């Protein structure tokens, strides 16, 4: 994904400006957790009617950090500038039109819906497999022998025999039509099982909060998980409202925040490793710390599906969740658990290990958040080539990565990375290009569109925006020279 160009359409807007604007325009609003709620500009009324709280539910949500909006009733979404433009139109008696996405995206989404529908129609509920033995084996393969047919039915999970995949539907929260799917299959290598996921539409546009249609208007407590099967297990074992994030612990796209506004309490139980714990702390900040609790990973607190399989008391684990909003001063007693966790998980604390560079793991102990690593070497010694391979290694393991290349342009950089990703010279096998490019596109990889000398503040702002939008945990700057030609000599480089 390419981030908006620095001179492009994301001028940052402060929450104060948003509030002042809404007041000046007489638009009523509630102050929510991550969003402001207002009546929608896009439902019903003629343009000239005032937006009064009386005649309209508050279905339009404005993100407090970016100013982007989403109307959950009509699915209209856009930037803060789009919102203001629509308010202007309303004043002139014109019915606002939702900002349109490009025709290309529209076409892609339509195609994805069509493909999803074909697969969905061929998929069967698991308990309808003719052979009971096959049902048993399939459930065992996915580790869901304890999950009942009633639970699978409730969440609409099906099985696609030809691809040996579980199928999770994405229904539109508006009219319950099928918008897409996620397919999950198991690959066995040696003694280990790995789960492989595929989504329709592609992962950037796949925004299914799995389980959303089952949430009632009055539900105020929620458990947020990183995996569809965990959401099933939670509902079955503890009867709680639970949703699964579309991309697990790797990111919480801001466009999903409006759907989470109705909950007064959210418990994050994303997985059983330290990365899930780090992610939970990050997401809690987006969701507003004061309503979030986190389930601490540990031997007695594995991921929800595991907890169900092991017959653990899931309700009890949920009750022991820690409040996300730690006070500013704490005693060692409150840190005890954390310190113990670090000792138990020494392997994990060392960060995400590189698969291609075992020697580097010995030196750096893996990629750890909050650390700065500087690579130096003479021109032409292969810094960029190495760093690109080093970053790709992490990115393929789900570490969300942002590249800021101030030396070579993004097309050349992407070409290097794609070659490294495919492990072959694609110029000799062009017929394979699309297949590899499709797989490459699935990586959580983003590029900044700067070139040459830049104002440092602009670069930092862009990075911050990327961290909020895409939950970036690894930023690569190639290279530091770009900061050198600056008038801000007082900046602490």
């Amino acid at each position: 994904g390419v981030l908006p160009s620095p001179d492009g359409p994301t001028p940052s807007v402060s929450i104060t400006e948003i509030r002042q604007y809404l007041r000046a325009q007489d638009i009523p609003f509630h102050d929510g957790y991550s969003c402001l709620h207002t009546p929608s500009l896009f439902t019903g009324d003629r343009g000239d009617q005032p937006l009064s709280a009386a005649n309209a539910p508050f279905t339009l949500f404005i993100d407090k950090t970016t100013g982007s909006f989403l109307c959950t009733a009509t699915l209209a979404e856009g930037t803060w500038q789009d919102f203001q433009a629509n308010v202007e139109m309303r004043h002139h008696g014109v019915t606002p039109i939702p900002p349109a996405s490009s025709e290309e995206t529209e076409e892609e989404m339509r195609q994805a819906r069509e493909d999803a529908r074909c697969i969905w129609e061929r998929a069967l509920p698991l308990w309808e497999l003719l052979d009971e033995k096959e049902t048993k084996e399939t459930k065992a393969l996915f580790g869901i022998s304890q999950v009942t047919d009633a639970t699978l039915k409730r969440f609409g999970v099906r099985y696609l025999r030809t691809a040996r995949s579980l199928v999770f539907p994405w229904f539109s929260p508006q009219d319950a039509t099928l918008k897409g799917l996620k397919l999950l299959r198991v690959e066995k290598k040696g003694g280990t099982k790995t789960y492989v996921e595929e989504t329709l539409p592609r992962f950037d546009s796949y925004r299914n909060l799995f389980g959303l249609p089952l949430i009632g208007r009055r539900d105020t407590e929620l458990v947020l998980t990183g995996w569809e099967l965990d959401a099933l297990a939670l509902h079955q074992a503890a009867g709680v409202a639970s949703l699964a994030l579309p991309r697990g612990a790797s990111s919480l796209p801001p466009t999903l925040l409006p759907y989470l506004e109705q909950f007064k309490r959210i418990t994050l139980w994303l997985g059983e490793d330290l990365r899930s714990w780090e992610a939970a702390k990050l997401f809690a900040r987006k969701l507003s710390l004061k309503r979030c609790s986190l389930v601490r990973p540990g031997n007695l607190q594995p991921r929800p599906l595991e907890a169900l399989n092991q017959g653990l008391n899931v309700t009890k684990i949920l009750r022991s969740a820690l409040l996300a909003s730690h006070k500013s001063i704490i005693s060692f007693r409150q840190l005890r658990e954390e310190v113990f966790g670090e000792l138990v998980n020494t392997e994990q604390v060392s960060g995400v290990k590189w698969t291609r560079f075992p020697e580097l793991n010995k030196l750096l102990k893996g990629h750890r958040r909050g650390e700065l690593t500087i690579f130096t070497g003479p021109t032409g010694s292969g810094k960029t080539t190495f760093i690109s391979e080093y970053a790709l290694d992490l990115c393929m393991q789900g570490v969300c990565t942002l590249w800021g290349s101030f030396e070579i342009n993004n097309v050349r950089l992407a070409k290097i990375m794609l070659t490294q990703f495919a492990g072959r010279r694609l110029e000799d096998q062009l017929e394979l290009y699309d297949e590899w490019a499709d797989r490459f596109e699935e990586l959580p990889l983003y590029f900044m569109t700067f070139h040459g000398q830049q104002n440092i503040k602009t670069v930092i702002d862009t990075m911050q925006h990327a961290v909020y939008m895409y939950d970036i945990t690894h930023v690569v700057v190639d290279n530091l020279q770009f900061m050198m030609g600056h008038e801000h000599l007082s900046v602490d480089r």
Side-chain angles (χ1 to χ4, degrees), residues 24-223:
Q25 298 290 340
D26 280 335
I27 298 174
F29 63 89
H30 300 312
D31 205 330
Y33 296 101
S34 345
C35 308
L36 297 176
H37 312 187
T38 76
S40 177
L41 303 168
F42 304 101
T43 47
D45 313 329
R46 292 197 317 282
D48 49 7
Q49 281 200 330
L51 284 173
S52 69
N55 63 7
F58 284 42
T59 57
L60 190 133
F61 297 85
I62 301 170
D63 187 303
K64 293 185 190 183
T65 308
T66 59
S68 300
F69 72 87
L70 168 74
C71 163
T72 52
T74 61
L75 299 188
E77 56 181 313
T79 63
W80 175 241
Q81 285 62 39
D82 294 329
F83 179 82
Q84 290 173 303
N86 278 297
V87 172
E88 292 306 308
M89 284 172 70
R90 229 190 129 84
H91 284 319
H92 298 132
V94 183
T95 306
I97 24 177
S101 48
S102 69
E103 284 186 13
E104 190 182 334
T105 345
E106 279 297 310
E107 179 49 37
E108 239 175 65
M109 295 294 279
R110 205 188 53 71
Q111 188 57 54
R113 270 201 301 274
E114 195 43 48
D115 294 346
R117 209 175 50 80
C118 294
I119 292 175
W120 184 241
E121 282 168 4
R122 295 210 319 272
L124 289 171
L126 257 180
W127 58 91
E128 282 181 18
L129 296 181
L130 295 174
D131 177 356
E132 205 170 305
K133 184 163 164 280
E134 189 187 357
T135 306
K136 264 205 164 90
E137 283 171 2
T138 305
K139 285 178 100 173
L141 178 68
F142 285 99
I144 53 172
S145 303
Q146 303 296 317
V147 176
T148 63
D149 291 346
T151 303
L152 291 166
K153 192 170 182 175
R154 184 181 160 86
F155 282 87
V157 181
R158 292 184 183 181
Y159 180 65
L160 184 63
R161 262 171 125 165
T162 46
R164 306 191 63 167
S165 301
L166 287 183
V167 183
F168 302 106
W170 174 15
F171 294 117
S172 163
Q174 243 183 317
D175 52 11
T177 52
L178 189 72
K179 288 186 74 171
L181 297 175
K182 181 182 281 190
L183 297 171
L184 178 74
R185 65 173 203 279
V186 175
E187 278 185 4
K188 283 182 169 164
K189 284 197 186 122
T192 56
K193 283 202 303 194
T194 47
Y195 289 95
V196 184
E197 297 185 343
E198 195 182 328
T199 64
L200 280 167
R202 285 258 174 77
F203 89 142
D204 263 353
S205 328
Y206 182 79
R207 302 180 186 156
N208 176 21
L209 267 177
F210 177 72
L212 195 59
L214 303 176
I215 299 286
R217 285 227 171 109
R218 293 194 184 80
D219 283 327
T220 57
E221 300 201 357
L222 171 76
V223 186

Side-chain angles (χ1 to χ4, degrees), residues 118-414:
C118 294
I119 292 175
W120 184 241
E121 282 168 4
R122 295 210 319 272
L124 289 171
L126 257 180
W127 58 91
E128 282 181 18
L129 296 181
L130 295 174
D131 177 356
E132 205 170 305
K133 184 163 164 280
E134 189 187 357
T135 306
K136 264 205 164 90
E137 283 171 2
T138 305
K139 285 178 100 173
L141 178 68
F142 285 99
I144 53 172
S145 303
Q146 303 296 317
V147 176
T148 63
D149 291 346
T151 303
L152 291 166
K153 192 170 182 175
R154 184 181 160 86
F155 282 87
V157 181
R158 292 184 183 181
Y159 180 65
L160 184 63
R161 262 171 125 165
T162 46
R164 306 191 63 167
S165 301
L166 287 183
V167 183
F168 302 106
W170 174 15
F171 294 117
S172 163
Q174 243 183 317
D175 52 11
T177 52
L178 189 72
K179 288 186 74 171
L181 297 175
K182 181 182 281 190
L183 297 171
L184 178 74
R185 65 173 203 279
V186 175
E187 278 185 4
K188 283 182 169 164
K189 284 197 186 122
T192 56
K193 283 202 303 194
T194 47
Y195 289 95
V196 184
E197 297 185 343
E198 195 182 328
T199 64
L200 280 167
R202 285 258 174 77
F203 89 142
D204 263 353
S205 328
Y206 182 79
R207 302 180 186 156
N208 176 21
L209 267 177
F210 177 72
L212 195 59
L214 303 176
I215 299 286
R217 285 227 171 109
R218 293 194 184 80
D219 283 327
T220 57
E221 300 201 357
L222 171 76
V223 186
L224 199 53
T225 71
W227 201 37
E228 289 77 6
L229 295 179
D230 283 337
L232 300 180
L234 272 163
H235 177 76
Q236 183 180 311
V240 291
S242 59
L243 297 174
L245 292 172
R247 285 151 71 181
S250 68
S251 74
L252 166 55
T255 42
L256 301 178
L257 295 173
Y259 297 107
L260 302 172
E261 283 285 303
Q262 80 178 61
F263 302 104
K264 293 192 171 58
R265 269 203 62 193
I266 296 180
T267 305
L268 291 141
W269 188 351
L270 298 181
E272 54 204 341
D273 57 359
L274 228 64
R275 274 172 75 186
S276 312
W277 173 247
E278 289 293 331
K281 291 197 278 197
L282 193 72
F283 298 170
R285 290 213 287 276
K286 274 191 194 181
L287 290 163
S288 167
L289 294 170
K290 58 175 183 276
R291 62 172 171 159
C292 292
S293 306
L294 319 175
V295 171
R296 169 158 213 43
N299 294 351
L300 299 173
Q301 310 204 142
R303 57 174 337 128
L305 181 63
E306 245 331 274
L308 172 71
N309 290 341
Q310 292 177 24
L312 298 171
N313 185 334
V314 173
T315 310
K316 194 172 151 202
I317 296 178
L318 285 171
R319 279 205 206 104
S320 72
L322 308 170
L323 287 173
S325 53
H326 275 313
K327 301 290 168 275
S328 313
I329 298 171
I330 54 178
S331 65
F332 177 67
R333 189 170 156 212
Q334 288 155 286
L335 289 174
R336 266 180 80 139
E337 282 299 297
E338 298 254 355
V339 174
F340 183 67
E342 299 252 316
L343 295 173
V344 173
N345 300 313
T346 37
E347 258 314 283
Q348 294 189 358
V349 176
S350 58
V352 182
K353 299 253 193 288
W354 286 275
T355 51
R356 310 176 188 206
F357 304 110
E359 287 302 308
L360 198 61
N361 289 329
K362 290 184 197 166
L363 269 171
L364 293 177
K365 305 279 182 277
H367 166 257
R368 300 194 283 194
R369 291 171 54 170
E371 286 188 357
L372 169 70
T373 309
I374 297 178
F375 288 86
T376 63
T379 307
S381 60
K383 291 189 297 291
T384 300
T385 312
F386 169 66
I387 301 254
S388 129
E389 180 107 14
Y390 148 111
L392 184 61
D393 187 313
L394 296 170
C395 197
M396 285 165 70
Q397 299 181 62
V399 174
C400 301
T401 304
L402 175 66
W403 259 91
S405 173
F406 300 92
E407 284 219 296
I408 64 172
N409 70 29
N410 286 333
V411 175
R412 251 189 67 204
L413 177 62

